[in-house]
Amino acid sequence: MTASTEDTRTAPAGTSGKPLADVLGGAAADDGHLRTPWTVLEDYQCFGCSPHNAHGLRLRFRERPDGISTTFQLGPTHESYPGVVHGGLLGVICDETMGNLIVLRVGQPAFTTAMRVRFLAPVLVGAVHECRARIIPGADGSTLINTEADVVDAAGTVVATARATYRPVALEAARDRIQISDDAAGRLARVLAATADATGRPLADQPVGDEPRGGQLPNVPASEES
Amino acid sequence: MSTTAAESVLSTITGIVAAELATAPGTIDPDLDLRSVAGADSVKVLRMIARIERAYDIELDDETVFTVTTVREVTEVVERALAEGAAA
């Protein structure tokens, strides 16, 4: 995993219009990457985003105008066919990016209930790619949130797409599904609450997604086609 | 699905296919076998399908995706998916 080389983005992310960095205690963490709520847990081991998991992907996220993104570059230990990144890991990366987007939006842990990935072209070992996730505006009052993600290569060509559904669950209600100490839960609850406060309204009242759904993948000039 | 709605689906899909093939929608014959179009490789066809799925918020079965050959057939598949979604 390597750090992203893109510029820091500071566009509004929450429904309040506050950048996520401000939501999380002024913590655009290191070099413009977002600090997720999980960072208050000293030794969290998330395979996708923990900096403490030596076997994990160590993803870091940046704000985008319509969501968040992560830049990744996987090595041969993550391949399936020689030189090709294992497709399942693309699912992990999409899930991780979409899931953290929801956590940052609504201030609650979100459990994946379904996900589908379309693999459009191989992702090569050593190549830099970016996963961009956004929330699909849904029906008012729904307790589920639909999201979509694109994995693009350095030229901006979409190589995989994902769509998933998540169920946000209040941390207290989620305690029976995750293993966490009372002390850690307290710290996590405070930072999640700060995130929720910044978005201003209960989940059921929030229009998820800041923009109308485009219904299109990014347009790719024919010259960039593989 | 009404004739107007069906025409709208056909028009939208034709636009997506044309965009993917970097050509004008008017040049796309709905009954043309896409596999015979220069540059329309399997990757581009999958990109078309991904765009269509996103445009209509549907998921098409791969069994179907890999058997349709023309824009009109794709349109019929999408119409069925939309009808099934409306009935659900």
Side-chain angles (χ1 to χ4, degrees), chain A residues 116 118-122 136 146 148-150 157-159 161-163 213-220 222 225-226, chain B residues 12 16 19-22 41-44 46-47 49-51 53-62 65-66:
Chain A
R116 186 199 205 206
R118 271 216 175 277
F119 301 97
L120 306 179
I136 302 170
N146 294 316
E148 57 194 16
D150 294 327
T157 302
V158 179
V159 296
T161 65
R163 182 193 162 104
R213 189 150 177 253
Q216 295 285 320
L217 298 178
N219 286 321
V220 181
E225 286 297 335
S226 55
Chain B
T12 298
I16 290 172
E20 199 59 49
L21 296 178
D41 56 24
S42 61
V43 171
K44 285 190 177 178
L46 264 180
R47 287 191 201 287
I49 294 297
R51 286 189 180 200
E53 288 180 323
R54 187 163 289 182
Y56 287 101
D57 195 15
I58 56 176
E59 290 186 359
L60 301 177
D61 294 334
D62 283 353
V65 166
F66 289 102

Side-chain angles (χ1 to χ4, degrees), chain A residues 168-192:
Chain A
V169 178
L171 179 60
E172 204 49 44
R175 288 289 303 277
D176 62 351
R177 306 180 203 183
I178 58 179
Q179 296 178 346
I180 187 172
S181 70
D182 290 343
D183 178 59
R187 279 180 280 127
L188 185 56
R190 283 191 288 278
V191 71
L192 287 170

Side-chain angles (χ1 to χ4, degrees), chain A residues 7-145:
Chain A
D7 293 336
T8 301
R9 301 176 193 240
T10 55
T15 51
S16 67
K18 274 191 173 182
L20 289 175
D22 292 347
V23 171
L24 295 170
D30 305 325
D31 52 20
H33 289 96
L34 293 166
R35 180 186 295 170
T36 62
W38 320 114
T39 56
V40 300
L41 309 176
E42 299 88 349
D43 192 33
Y44 79 110
Q45 295 291 325
C46 174
F47 177 76
C49 68
S50 169
H52 312 298
N53 186 340
H55 304 289
L57 300 178
R58 300 184 179 185
L59 300 174
R60 296 193 295 169
F61 306 97
R62 291 180 185 272
E63 288 187 37
R64 285 179 53 81
D66 61 349
I68 63 173
S69 66
T70 187
T71 301
F72 62 94
Q73 182 182 29
L74 300 182
T77 56
H78 295 118
E79 71 182 15
S80 54
Y81 293 118
V84 177
V85 170
H86 201 295
L89 290 176
L90 298 183
V92 170
I93 292 167
C94 289
D95 186 28
E96 191 70 18
T97 310
M98 293 185 287
N100 270 306
L101 171 59
I102 294 174
V103 172
L104 291 166
R105 279 281 198 274
V106 305
Q108 292 181 338
F111 291 90
T112 315
T113 60
M115 183 172 75
R116 186 199 205 206
V117 182
R118 271 216 175 277
F119 301 97
L120 306 179
V123 169
L124 302 182
V125 166
V128 175
H129 287 77
E130 183 179 49
C131 178
R132 303 167 178 167
R134 63 189 301 272
I135 292 175
I136 302 170
D140 291 343
S142 173
T143 57
L144 299 175
I145 296 179

